[in-house]
Amino acid sequence: MHQNAETRLRDGTRISDLINHETREVKVRALSDPELYELEMERIFAKTWIFLGHETEIPNKGDFITRDMGSDAVIVARDRDNEIHVSLNVCPHRAMKVQTHDAGNANVHMCIYHGWAFKPNGDFIGAPVEKECMHGNMTPKDQLGLKKARVALYGGLIFATWNIDGPSLEEFFGDAKYYFDTLFLRTEGGLEVLGPPQRFRLNANWKTACEQSAADGFHTLTLHRWLAEVGPYAKKPDAEGKGADLSPEMYGSEVWTDHGHAMRCIDLDRKIVRLTGKDPAELSPVERLRALPPPGITPEMVPELLERFDDGQLKLMSWRPPQVGGFFPNGLFEFIYLPQPDGTIVGACALHAYIPKGPDKLEFMNWIFAEKDTPPELKARMLRQSVQMLGTSGMVEMEDSDTWPHQTEVAKGAVSKTITLKYQAKFDKGAPEGWPGPGHVGDGFTKDDTQWAWWKYWHELMTAE
């Protein structure tokens, strides 16, 4: 992209002045500035691919959901040919929202204001009292439809962009797709949503949640320390009365891309030892996968993995699979192992989206998934435990969502807004020996490189012509 380093805010500050590439710092002001927010809606959310939901939310012809692409409301609808379309939820007549429901089924979307009607694909049908031609004769009917976004489906996930001639979704994913495939393309049946997404709003800037989603592992040690004290990683207290140590979970590999996608790939060896009592180094990837299937995969599904993935991906899935990470700009995935009291493990599969609702407001949306072929009783267990841990009132997310409003409020202070967010903990090791995948890879204790890559791409988009 061509860079425009002279992009300035009204007070004369250049956007480039908000980020220091040499010291890896970002001015806290970036987390609250209203003018910056408006530019983000134009330069990021109107230009990149945005995650909107999953096709199993609209399984039938005529089904629709309403979502947001940044500050723009859209209708996501399935037509009579089973094609999925994303259209701007704004009537071209008088700018009324066409669809005011969150979800439903409709072969025609009619604006309640003046009755203009549209097909699920956004095409204009007509206005009431057709003989009076209340849509006029100045603009042809085929130009009066809802503005249409470009749509791409990936593993059932629905993405859309207003950048009609821009990069494909696969190009946008880049090196991250190699890893994403191991999460979203695992079985022939594919993933399905376990009910509608949970959602709530909080007083926080969207970037507070999203830069954390870029694989920030370090905060787990302190913000989520209960996981080691009383949670699923807790052990019997030691002689000093302390709980288990979470720091071993901080080791592994982290991957990031030039487009701000990131993931934490946590080593499974300790889990496999506990389950099998064997040395993981002596087990083949297939043996490891059978001993510890990926989150949401049952032992009966493992043969499908062997058919669908190459040797490198199978090695990754059985050794250091991506468990937590994000896709730029506002998506988070969690495919994690939940230890049970009886020594078994239940998988949790969730996706979050953080929807901008203003400089200091966001909507938190949470989807819980399972493979379609998962036994019903296991689906119910996965749903219950995923909601308890990762839901909008879950043990983990209620702590994350407590920090973001504090950060946003701080960023408004006359002095506070001038200090910086620091991403100066850097990997000093590249990919471990035998690493099978592409992208930028760091090895060892979790660092800041993934989040810094998120900010670098934010800066690239915000300063592009």
Side-chain angles (χ1 to χ4, degrees):
M1 292 183 177
H2 297 292
Q3 299 297 309
N4 179 8
E6 294 306 313
T7 301
R8 295 177 183 270
L9 303 178
R10 278 190 289 268
D11 66 358
T13 301
R14 299 182 306 172
I15 293 177
S16 290
D17 293 337
L18 298 176
I19 186 167
N20 188 323
H21 288 273
E22 291 185 3
T23 62
R24 308 209 326 177
E25 296 176 270
V26 180
K27 288 286 182 66
V28 172
R29 172 183 178 175
L31 299 181
S32 69
D33 192 284
E35 190 180 359
L36 200 62
Y37 174 85
E38 295 300 324
L39 290 171
E40 289 167 343
M41 297 304 101
E42 298 171 6
R43 299 183 181 188
I44 296 177
F45 283 88
K47 296 291 176 64
T48 60
W49 286 96
I50 305 299
F51 167 65
L52 297 176
H54 195 269
E55 64 177 348
T56 56
E57 294 183 76
I58 48 173
N60 304 308
K61 297 176 182 180
D63 284 352
F64 71 87
I65 48 179
T66 54
R67 295 287 151 82
D68 294 284
M69 294 174 64
S71 54
D72 291 302
V74 296
I75 302 170
V76 183
R78 188 182 291 273
D79 68 13
R80 293 180 179 178
D81 297 322
N82 265 324
E83 295 293 321
I84 293 176
H85 304 269
V86 175
S87 307
L88 188 67
N89 193 9
V90 179
C91 183
H93 182 220
R94 298 288 164 78
M96 172 63 189
K97 268 191 174 181
V98 174
Q99 187 51 256
T100 57
H101 296 285
D102 288 338
N105 183 282
N107 291 322
V108 175
H109 296 275
M110 181 177 291
C111 178
I112 63 172
Y113 196 5
H114 295 94
W116 281 33
F118 306 88
K119 296 179 181 179
N121 69 357
D123 287 351
F124 179 61
I125 298 173
V129 194
E130 184 177 359
K131 66 179 181 179
E132 297 298 338
C133 195
M134 289 305 294
H135 62 275
N137 293 312
M138 300 179 72
T139 302
K141 288 183 69 174
D142 62 6
Q143 296 180 27
L144 291 175
L146 304 178
K147 183 175 178 63
K148 301 179 182 182
R150 182 182 172 192
V151 180
L153 294 182
Y154 170 70
L157 304 178
I158 304 169
F159 288 83
T161 182
W162 301 114
N163 192 358
I164 305 302
D165 299 318
S168 67
L169 180 63
E170 185 169 340
E171 290 171 325
F172 179 60
F173 281 165
D175 289 335
K177 185 178 182 299
Y178 180 90
Y179 304 92
F180 291 166
D181 285 355
T182 67
L183 302 174
F184 302 110
L185 303 179
R186 302 184 299 185
T187 66
E188 183 66 29
L191 292 165
E192 66 177 359
V193 292
L194 300 182
Q198 299 175 299
R199 55 209 302 176
F200 77 101
R201 295 194 182 192
L202 60 156
N203 297 325
N205 183 274
W206 70 277
K207 295 188 296 300
T208 59
C210 294
E211 64 91 37
Q212 184 196 101
S213 299
D216 176 0
F218 189 43
H219 78 281
T220 306
L221 282 176
T222 48
L223 189 62
H224 306 315
R225 63 184 180 272
W226 68 271
L227 287 166
E229 296 171 343
V230 298
Y233 293 95
K235 301 176 183 176
K236 292 182 180 179
D238 61 24
E240 297 179 2
K242 297 178 181 178
D245 181 10
L246 267 181
S247 60
E249 297 294 325
M250 300 297 103
Y251 289 90
S253 300
E254 295 183 355
V255 181
W256 61 97
T257 74
D258 294 335
H259 288 165
H261 313 304
M263 63 208 74
R264 296 190 64 223
C265 302
I266 303 171
D267 200 302
L268 298 182
D269 281 1
R270 291 183 305 112
K271 290 183 175 65
I272 291 174
V273 169
R274 286 200 297 268
L275 286 171
T276 68
K278 298 178 180 179
D279 180 357
E282 297 178 355
L283 302 177
S284 70
V286 174
E287 290 172 326
R288 293 167 65 107
L289 285 169
R290 287 176 176 153
L292 180 60
I297 294 293
T298 64
E300 293 75 19
M301 296 176 189
V302 170
E304 283 199 67
L305 304 181
L306 308 184
E307 295 174 0
R308 299 176 73 83
F309 297 108
D310 63 30
D311 290 343
Q313 288 170 311
L314 292 174
K315 178 179 180 179
L316 181 81
M317 296 167 77
S318 67
W319 173 36
R320 292 186 177 182
Q323 293 185 46
V324 180
F327 32 81
F328 189 93
N330 67 325
L332 168 84
F333 63 81
E334 296 170 298
F335 281 63
I336 61 177
Y337 304 86
L338 298 180
Q340 303 296 297
D342 63 1
T344 61
I345 292 177
V346 168
C349 306
L351 273 174
H352 301 336
Y354 305 106
I355 316 300
K357 291 294 181 181
D360 56 3
K361 289 181 174 59
L362 68 82
E363 184 174 58
F364 182 125
M365 295 188 70
N366 174 51
W367 293 258
I368 304 296
F369 291 91
E371 301 290 342
K372 290 179 182 176
D373 296 333
T374 302
E377 62 277 8
L378 180 55
K379 283 183 183 177
R381 195 176 179 191
M382 290 174 63
L383 175 60
R384 182 178 67 255
Q385 295 197 19
S386 296
V387 168
Q388 290 171 346
M389 286 284 288
L390 309 174
T392 51
S393 59
M395 296 290 286
V396 170
E397 302 308 337
M398 69 177 181
E399 293 171 329
D400 287 330
S401 59
D402 182 59
T403 64
W404 305 327
H406 290 294
Q407 292 174 282
T408 303
E409 190 65 27
V410 163
K412 299 175 184 179
V415 176
S416 301
K417 68 182 181 181
T418 66
I419 69 169
T420 59
L421 309 167
K422 296 171 181 66
Y423 302 89
Q424 297 170 340
K426 302 169 62 174
F427 280 110
D428 56 12
K429 296 179 182 178
E433 183 179 353
W435 185 257
H440 306 285
V441 184
D443 185 53
F445 194 88
T446 181
K447 294 295 190 291
D448 296 335
D449 298 80
T450 54
Q451 292 175 273
W452 179 240
W454 190 95
W455 278 108
K456 285 175 66 179
Y457 192 52
W458 174 88
H459 176 262
E460 179 181 332
L461 292 173
M462 291 294 287
T463 57
E465 292 180 353

